[in-house]
Amino acid sequence: MSIEETVLVVGAGQMGSGIAQVFAQSGYTVLLHDASEKQIHRAISSMTKQLTKRAEKGKLAHQAVRDITQRLAVSTDLKDVQQAHLVIEAASEQMSVKKQIFETLDQFAEEEAIFATNTSSLSITELAAVTSRPEKVIGMHFMNPVPVMKLVEVIRALQTSDD
Ligand SMILES: NC(=O)c1ccc[n+]([C@@H]2O[C@H](COP(=O)([O-])OP(=O)(O)OC[C@H]3O[C@@H](n4cnc5c(N)ncnc54)[C@H](O)[C@@H]3O)[C@@H](O)[C@H]2O)c1
């Protein structure tokens, strides 16, 4: 299975902003969502500053910075998941918070959309069970700082399909 184009990242904190950056750098359209709209803008602005610094040092083309930032969009409503083929949840490490997010996403997402969580310690099997698509739920555990660490652990829940 391939991820077509659009990725929704839920949670624009330390990890979510790094994950959003890496996907945008890799050519995906990224919708960045957070419970706090201020946090989304803060994340995008700090990402832009960091990329611009790299361009100024000659490590990245200025055009690349423009392309990357143009691929990043603010999402203030989880219903935007309708546009996404992959969701990566990187909200606060609380089961109740993550369950509520997954339940909402499940109501609006395309049948084929894959839900991933960046949790470090919570049960992915338990999270998958609140959705109607437990076979499409996985863990995608990125390392901090995400734009630097070229490693991600992909973790299956008990229900995750082989696909
Ligand atoms: N920080 C790390 O080194 C690290 C490494 C690997 C995995 N993780 C995991 O990544 C996840 C995020 O960690 P972080 O360090 O980025 O946390 P963080 O506190 O920096 O960011 C969490 C963000 O989630 C948002 N949020 C809270 N409730 C929400 C909701 N209902 N809907 C949308 N957004 C909501 C908060 O506003 C905040 O911006 C956690 O599950 C954590 O265990 C963290």
Side-chain angles (χ1 to χ4, degrees), residues 6 11 18 25-26 33 38 41 49 60 66 68 77 89 107 109 113 115 119 121 128 133 144 146 148 151-152 158:
T6 303
Q25 279 178 200
S26 305
H33 176 89
K38 213 168 152 188
H41 290 289
K49 268 191 211 149
L60 191 68
R66 284 190 288 275
I68 293 166
D77 190 336
E89 172 278 312
Q107 285 175 46
F115 293 177
T119 183
S121 59
R133 64 186 81 214
N144 188 25
V146 184
V148 177
L151 178 68
V152 60
L158 288 178

Side-chain angles (χ1 to χ4, degrees), residues 40-138:
I40 311 173
H41 290 289
R42 202 180 293 148
I44 292 180
S45 149
S46 111
M47 230 183 278
T48 308
K49 268 191 211 149
Q50 190 200 72
L51 291 166
T52 305
K53 260 192 204 158
R54 286 187 59 201
E56 283 164 2
K57 287 183 186 166
K59 292 182 175 172
L60 191 68
H62 283 282
Q63 184 58 46
V65 178
R66 284 190 288 275
D67 290 345
I68 293 166
T69 49
Q70 269 170 18
R71 284 196 283 268
L72 276 166
V74 171
S75 158
T76 53
D77 190 336
L78 277 184
K79 281 186 191 163
D80 291 336
V81 72
Q82 286 166 346
Q83 303 166 47
H85 306 98
L86 171 68
V87 183
I88 301 172
E89 172 278 312
S92 312
E93 187 75 340
Q94 281 175 45
M95 185 54 99
S96 58
V97 168
K98 290 182 189 288
K99 277 187 176 173
Q100 198 173 31
I101 291 169
F102 271 57
E103 276 168 1
T104 306
L105 291 171
D106 192 44
Q107 285 175 46
F108 300 103
E110 292 267 338
E111 211 177 293
E112 288 305 308
I114 294 172
F115 293 177
T117 173
N118 190 47
T119 183
S120 295
S121 59
L122 302 174
S123 163
I124 300 163
T125 297
E126 189 178 336
L127 254 182
V130 304
T131 73
S132 63
R133 64 186 81 214
E135 74 288 354
K136 293 194 179 73
V137 177
I138 54 169

